[in-house]
């Protein structure tokens, strides 16, 4: 799929994005994220890896639009969602 990010044309494919992000450790994500496999990556991190451009050169909206068209799920993660423990990892209750 052809898309324009930071005024530069890119020919992106879902398989190409998956390959580019293979082995990349996700940074802490608060705000807009892209779900790739089972991981949530900050949109700016994905844009930087895929386009090889500086994060300041493109907007979140450009990358979200491209990733959505490719079939990736894009979400907004709040600080509360990031900080809340999952039910399976909650500490056991102790009575004093």
């Amino acid at each position: 799929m052809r898309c324009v990010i930071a005024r530069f044309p890119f020919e992106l494919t879902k398989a190409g994005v998956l390959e580019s992000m293979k082995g990349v450790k996700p940074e802490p994500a608060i705000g807009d994220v892209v779900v790739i496999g089972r991981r949530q990556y900050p949109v700016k991190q994905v844009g930087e890896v895929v386009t090889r451009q500086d994060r300041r050169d493109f907007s979140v909206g450009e990358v979200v639009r491209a990733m959505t068209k490719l079939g990736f799920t894009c979400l907004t993660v709040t600080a509360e969602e990031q900080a809340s423990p999952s039910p399976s990892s909650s500490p056991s209750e102790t009575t004093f």
Side-chain angles (χ1 to χ4, degrees):
M1 174 198 85
R2 182 182 159 86
C3 64
V4 176
I5 299 175
R7 299 180 311 272
F8 290 98
F10 292 93
E11 194 64 43
L12 299 177
T13 63
K14 188 167 186 170
V17 172
L18 290 169
E19 185 64 32
S20 295
M21 297 306 293
K22 189 184 295 184
V24 176
K25 182 179 176 187
E27 297 170 356
I30 295 179
D32 294 309
V33 298
V34 179
V35 179
I36 300 176
R38 292 180 291 170
R39 296 180 173 187
Q40 293 182 353
Y41 293 89
V43 171
K44 288 282 194 165
Q45 181 182 13
V46 174
E48 183 177 53
V49 171
V50 170
T51 67
R52 296 184 185 96
Q53 293 180 341
D54 189 281
R55 296 176 188 205
R56 296 171 291 183
D57 293 341
F58 53 85
S59 71
V60 167
E62 292 173 304
V63 179
V64 167
R65 209 167 19 257
M67 295 299 112
T68 302
K69 285 183 179 178
L70 288 173
F72 292 102
T73 302
C74 297
L75 308 168
T76 300
V77 177
T78 63
E80 294 84 30
E81 291 171 336
Q82 183 74 9
S84 66
S86 64
S88 63
S89 66
S90 62
S92 61
E93 292 184 17
T94 306
T95 308
F96 291 94

